[in-house]
Amino acid sequence: MLVTHGHKFSAGVWGLIVDELRNIMKRAEPTWIFFALSREDEAKILEPHIDCGGESPSKLQTSSLSSSTAATVVMSSHEPSVLGMYPDVVATLGFTFATSFPPKVISAEEVKAQRIPSCTHLAVLLALQRLAGNVLASRQRENLSISVGQARSLLSCLRESFVFARKVNDALPLRRYLQRVGWRYGRTVSSSNELPSLLPQEVMGKQQYLQMLFTALTRSINKNDLAPFEEQEEARGYMARMVQDTLEEYLAWTGVAPQHIKDGKVVPADAKQRVESFTPLIVATLREIAEFDNTELQRHMSWLYPLLTLLMLVPNVKVRVALSNVFSKGIRQLLLPR
């Protein structure tokens, strides 16, 4: 509905919508989850975070997560607002809001009462990630009155959602604890011994984020459909870093190219589960790359081509089909005589 009727909304209305989408998305994240661990388990967790020096959101560094800094790590830094526009949604989902900012640190009793993350809240988070991606990707095409600042704000929230999910997914002691207390969310095979995870949220967030970046680079006969040059250049840089990081991680997890594990890390114990979850994202990314024109594809060949050749060794049929399209539709263009 937002995409279909969004052209009728003014920039002011879109500002309200973006703010509320951000707040609902942040409230749906189980940010209290790290407080559920004992001090002994907590000390085992490595906290991934974004390198603020311009690196890709998926390039993670590690440092120990101490109880004194846990609140800072998992609490949102964004001031909450009253969701007056959606009282029924708030009532249905049972959200509660802090009366002051910053919000108070959640108590041990409150953590114990929640016990495990709500599957309903996580389903809402998935839906909001998809919604945010669709709105951002439709901004130019549907002529939505979303300002650059509003788009950046929503894009930032989308990025934060998959970065948080990645923190949880990298915290194997936390996931083992949640498995012991009966949490089963995020497993690719329900009857297996796979650990619960937020892999669906990490994959959905990254897929929608990349969808927006690819859309900004789309070439169209109608020049009005193109994003401004500055936005294209920014999107191109983020897209290149994120696609490269994602492909390298995937190749490492499959065992095809373990040399792509960075910073002295090892292949994670749940590599098979991650491969299963990330395969649709890899396929979708390859399909987008296959649609690049000569100019766009040529820009990325120096880092992209070696990764594409390594993907030939991945046994997954869907990946191979998508990869063949990249070579037949995309790279073939570069080989034709001009």
Side-chain angles (χ1 to χ4, degrees), residues 42-43 45-49 60-66 69 73:
E42 183 183 287
I45 295 181
L46 295 178
E47 172 218 344
H49 63 276
L60 303 174
Q61 295 178 334
T62 57
S63 62
S64 61
L65 179 63
S66 66
T69 61
V73 171

Side-chain angles (χ1 to χ4, degrees), residues 1-13:
M1 185 182 72
L2 284 177
V3 173
T4 303
H5 301 286
H7 64 280
K8 302 176 184 178
F9 302 154
S10 66
V13 172

Side-chain angles (χ1 to χ4, degrees), residues 57-312:
S58 61
K59 281 193 175 180
L60 303 174
Q61 295 178 334
T62 57
S63 62
S64 61
L65 179 63
S66 66
S67 57
S68 62
T69 61
T72 304
V73 171
V74 301
M75 287 293 184
S76 169
S77 59
H78 303 289
E79 186 168 359
S81 65
V82 178
L83 301 182
M85 295 174 64
Y86 312 103
D88 293 337
V89 174
V90 175
T92 300
L93 297 179
F95 287 139
T96 57
F97 299 92
T99 56
S100 61
F101 189 82
K104 69 182 181 66
V105 175
I106 192 168
S107 68
E109 290 74 18
E110 289 172 301
V111 170
K112 187 175 181 180
Q114 296 185 74
R115 189 172 174 80
I116 58 176
S118 164
C119 291
T120 300
H121 288 194
L122 293 176
V124 169
L125 180 56
L126 278 175
L128 289 173
Q129 287 176 317
R130 188 180 296 109
L131 173 60
N134 288 339
V135 167
L136 288 168
S138 303
R139 176 172 162 243
Q140 294 291 331
R141 184 175 65 251
E142 302 294 337
N143 196 28
L144 305 182
S145 299
I146 302 177
S147 69
V148 173
Q150 292 163 355
R152 288 179 185 274
S153 177
L154 193 55
L155 188 64
S156 174
C157 188
L158 185 58
R159 181 172 60 246
E160 289 168 7
S161 71
F162 68 72
V163 169
F164 170 76
R166 180 57 179 263
K167 288 181 181 180
V168 175
N169 294 333
D170 283 346
L172 294 182
L174 172 62
R175 291 167 61 190
R176 293 190 184 100
Y177 163 79
L178 291 170
Q179 184 184 49
R180 289 198 301 271
V181 298
W183 199 47
R184 298 291 182 267
Y185 186 86
R187 300 191 306 177
T188 56
V189 182
S190 58
S191 61
S192 73
N193 292 323
E194 289 181 347
L195 294 175
S197 71
L198 293 186
L199 282 168
Q201 282 71 22
E202 182 183 354
V203 171
M204 177 63 73
K206 288 183 175 180
Q207 186 165 344
Q208 296 302 320
Y209 191 86
L210 279 172
Q211 177 189 351
M212 179 271 168
L213 298 178
F214 282 125
T215 300
L217 300 177
T218 300
R219 297 294 187 268
S220 172
I221 296 176
N222 182 357
K223 297 299 182 182
N224 293 327
D225 288 347
L226 290 177
F229 177 77
E230 295 78 9
E231 290 186 38
Q232 281 194 27
E233 286 300 301
E234 185 178 31
R236 182 173 290 114
Y238 278 116
M239 181 279 297
R241 288 194 293 271
M242 190 168 180
V243 170
Q244 183 174 1
D245 292 346
T246 302
L247 291 179
E248 287 179 351
E249 283 188 329
Y250 186 79
L251 288 167
W253 295 337
T254 59
V256 168
Q259 68 271 21
H260 286 304
I261 292 290
K262 296 181 175 65
D263 302 324
K265 297 180 183 178
V266 297
V267 176
D270 64 340
K272 184 177 179 181
Q273 184 179 1
R274 297 193 190 211
V275 168
E276 185 76 17
S277 297
F278 269 76
T279 294
L281 173 60
I282 299 300
V283 171
T285 299
L286 292 174
R287 287 173 178 168
E288 293 285 356
I289 293 173
E291 298 301 322
F292 281 173
D293 61 18
N294 286 8
T295 304
E296 191 63 45
L297 189 59
Q298 187 67 55
R299 284 190 175 101
H300 308 288
M301 285 299 289
S302 60
W303 61 265
L304 180 60
Y305 187 77
L307 296 175
L308 294 178
T309 56
L310 286 173
L311 278 174
M312 294 178 182

